Amino acid sequence: MIPKADRSEAWLKQLQPYQQRLQHTPELIVEGRLSRMVGLTLEAVGCRAAIGSLCLVESKSGKQVNAEVVGFSGERIFLMPVSDTHGLEPGCRVIPLGANSLIGVGFGLLGRVLNGSGEALDNKGPLKTESKTPLSGETINPLARKPIREPLDVGIRAINALFSVGRGQRMGLFAGTGVGKSILLGMMTRFTSADVVVVGLVGERGREVNEFVLKILGDEGMKRAVVIASPADDPPLMRVHGAMLATSVAEYFRHQGLDVLLLMDSLTRYAQAYREIALAIDEPPATKGYPPSVFAKLPQLVERAGNGDEGGGSITAFYTVLAEGDDANDPIADAARGVLDGHIVLSRDLAESGHYPAIDIEASISRVMPDIVETEHMQLARELRRIYSVYQQNKDLISVGAYQSGSDPFIDESIIRRPEIMRFLQQDMDESVDLSRSLMELTQILAK
């Protein structure tokens, strides 16, 4: 129990965001003590705090660590730190702040790079925000959502023509490591017709953050973009917050009636961060080490994207999904397919042959495409996929010379059209191909 008069200046500074709440608290605040640290989890006794609320852990030397309540058992509460824990020891003070995570949002975030806590990483001065919003977002009545009826130009020929994306759709980019996911995301960042771009770099390599900002977005791209970066060396809770923060920022701009493009790299690293948290508080693993709660968190995050109310804005989201070991049945990849509105699969074989973007058009699909394009466009896309599939099914016979020309008209057609189709499916990373041009080139290939 610490009287208010005895609080240190450092503590009061730490509590500044919660001053309004503290005005209505009793004269005494109950603090706890740090009893032990197991793995990534801090255990505290002697205080009460709700799930999701914040606590301040303070050592005798004055080191302060922010933490969030992630579980409890009897009189013990489990805390997950969001910063470095070096210097903590048994008996450290645990001070409940009594507030859920709130982050500042506003148009002042455009052109800025933030970490998972919503703090600036770019040394461009303090952030200018207009309001605060919870990291967990708000649930939208599914009957109030505006239907997806309008196509979105993403600037990628193969996607525009064969897997047309609707404004407000949630798509997945599925692939193993090193097959061009980040490059494809960068192309969409620059070429997609959206009012605001929100990029969430969650659990990826730290060097990629600066490269993405400088090389892919550039000065022009950053003017309409917000980048949230929580690299792999961040604590797991910070990585989880990074994904939630990116979604919350996108939700703010949607509430302003804007069309937002949300790019998250990657959904798999978000799930892995939650796995670390769940295992640290002794939740039993279920599928390949993933506890059941992880599979409940995926739809909670993804469902926050999409269209808003009638007359409002939209969030079109692309989530990269890392198929570990190129396993298409990876549990996170399998769960993501069930909650997303389509998926673009990238092929390692195509990438290794120099074919970019390495989109496997047989394994990819856009579930809303029939609702947003004309019937003629849909028929042309199906025809090209049929021709491509016929060649792939007979590729071995053709490559060894076992197929004789004239034996099957469909195979003959696939052999003749293949060079043009392969050129159509490839695109330079600095080239933008809009929706109308993509459809025109698709029509020209199949009209010959």
Side-chain angles (χ1 to χ4, degrees):
M1 307 275 279
I2 302 176
K4 284 186 176 180
D6 295 338
R7 296 175 189 163
S8 66
E9 292 184 7
W11 186 27
L12 288 174
K13 184 177 181 180
Q14 190 73 29
L15 296 179
Q16 281 177 358
Y18 311 101
Q19 288 300 316
Q20 185 175 1
R21 178 187 177 276
L22 289 172
Q23 291 174 0
H24 305 286
T25 58
E27 286 299 309
L28 296 176
I29 291 180
V30 178
E31 72 169 38
R33 286 288 183 265
L34 188 64
S35 61
R36 67 171 183 164
M37 179 177 181
V38 180
L40 303 172
T41 310
L42 305 176
E43 291 187 13
V45 294
C47 59
R48 299 175 68 88
I51 296 291
S53 62
L54 305 178
C55 291
L56 179 66
V57 183
E58 187 176 65
S59 69
K60 294 178 181 178
S61 63
K63 179 179 177 62
Q64 296 179 332
V65 173
N66 291 317
E68 182 177 309
V69 180
V70 294
F72 58 86
S73 176
E75 297 300 317
R76 296 177 299 157
I77 62 172
F78 302 135
L79 306 170
M80 187 63 64
V82 295
S83 54
D84 184 46
T85 57
H86 288 289
L88 295 185
E89 57 188 358
C92 288
R93 295 174 12 175
V94 178
I95 307 160
L97 302 182
N100 291 326
S101 297
L102 294 174
I103 49 100
V105 291
F107 284 89
L109 297 182
L110 292 174
R112 303 302 300 269
V113 182
L114 317 177
N115 65 9
S117 296
E119 300 167 344
L121 291 175
D122 51 14
N123 298 319
K124 292 183 179 179
L127 296 171
K128 298 178 181 179
T129 58
E130 300 160 11
S131 60
K132 288 187 177 293
T133 185
L135 276 176
S136 56
E138 299 177 358
T139 303
I140 299 178
N141 185 335
L143 296 181
R145 284 186 186 267
K146 180 173 58 178
I148 301 174
R149 292 290 182 267
E150 183 183 352
L152 178 71
D153 181 9
V154 298
I156 312 297
R157 184 192 295 111
I159 297 177
N160 279 340
L162 304 179
F163 315 104
S164 300
V165 176
R167 200 174 294 276
Q169 186 174 357
R170 290 83 53 94
M171 291 284 284
L173 290 177
F174 289 71
T177 55
V179 295
K181 295 189 305 298
S182 298
I183 293 176
L184 189 57
L185 276 184
M187 293 172 69
M188 287 189 287
T189 303
R190 288 175 289 148
F191 303 152
T192 300
S193 55
D195 299 317
V196 174
V197 178
V198 179
V199 182
L201 302 176
V202 179
E204 299 299 321
R205 293 179 291 273
R207 68 169 181 81
E208 290 184 338
V209 177
N210 208 32
E211 290 181 2
F212 198 95
V213 172
L214 296 178
K215 294 183 179 180
I216 296 179
L217 281 174
D219 293 336
E220 278 302 310
M222 279 300 294
K223 290 179 181 179
R224 61 166 185 155
V226 183
V227 178
I228 290 88
S230 184
D233 59 344
D234 275 355
L237 191 62
M238 182 77 86
R239 282 175 266 148
V240 168
H241 282 183
M244 298 170 70
L245 174 59
T247 308
S248 294
V249 171
E251 286 175 327
Y252 169 79
F253 289 113
R254 179 178 62 188
H255 292 331
Q256 311 310 308
L258 301 178
D259 292 320
V260 182
L261 176 66
L262 172 63
L263 305 174
M264 190 170 296
D265 188 10
S266 67
L267 192 64
T268 304
R269 303 301 187 199
Y270 167 79
Q272 290 173 346
Y274 247 117
R275 176 174 63 181
E276 292 179 44
I277 295 172
L279 293 177
I281 58 175
D282 295 331
E283 184 179 352
T287 307
K288 288 193 175 180
Y290 287 98
S293 63
V294 171
F295 300 100
K297 294 294 183 181
L298 290 178
Q300 289 178 13
L301 180 72
V302 170
E303 283 296 324
R304 292 171 61 185
N307 284 335
D309 299 340
E310 287 285 354
S314 66
I315 300 175
T316 306
F318 284 85
Y319 301 92
T320 64
V321 180
L322 179 63
E324 296 185 4
D326 292 341
D327 181 10
N329 295 317
D330 176 81
I332 298 302
D334 195 46
R337 273 193 294 268
V339 298
L340 295 171
D341 302 321
H343 47 270
I344 306 296
V345 179
L346 302 185
S347 165
R348 184 172 300 279
D349 290 339
L350 289 174
E352 290 175 348
S353 67
H355 179 117
Y356 287 100
I359 298 174
D360 184 343
I361 67 171
E362 290 183 293
S364 305
I365 190 172
S366 171
R367 292 192 175 109
V368 305
M369 184 175 177
D371 299 325
I372 61 174
V373 301
E374 300 292 336
T375 303
E376 181 183 1
H377 183 173
M378 196 70 200
Q379 291 173 344
L380 290 171
R382 286 172 177 165
E383 179 66 9
L384 187 141
R385 294 180 69 176
R386 180 193 65 79
I387 296 171
Y388 182 91
S389 182
V390 168
Y391 186 92
Q392 291 299 110
Q393 292 170 7
N394 297 276
K395 184 178 180 179
D396 292 339
L397 288 176
I398 297 169
S399 61
V400 300
Y403 174 75
Q404 294 184 356
S405 179
S407 300
D408 188 314
F410 293 111
I411 299 178
D412 291 340
E413 179 189 28
S414 70
I415 294 173
I416 294 171
R417 294 187 183 276
R418 180 170 176 77
E420 287 187 80
I421 290 176
M422 298 306 288
R423 281 194 294 269
F424 174 81
L425 296 176
Q426 296 181 68
Q427 184 174 330
D428 188 79
M429 65 180 296
D430 296 320
E431 178 188 8
S432 174
V433 183
D434 63 29
L435 189 59
S436 59
R437 180 182 161 193
S438 300
L439 179 57
M440 180 188 68
E441 293 183 7
L442 175 63
T443 304
Q444 290 174 347
I445 287 177
L446 298 178
K448 295 179 181 179

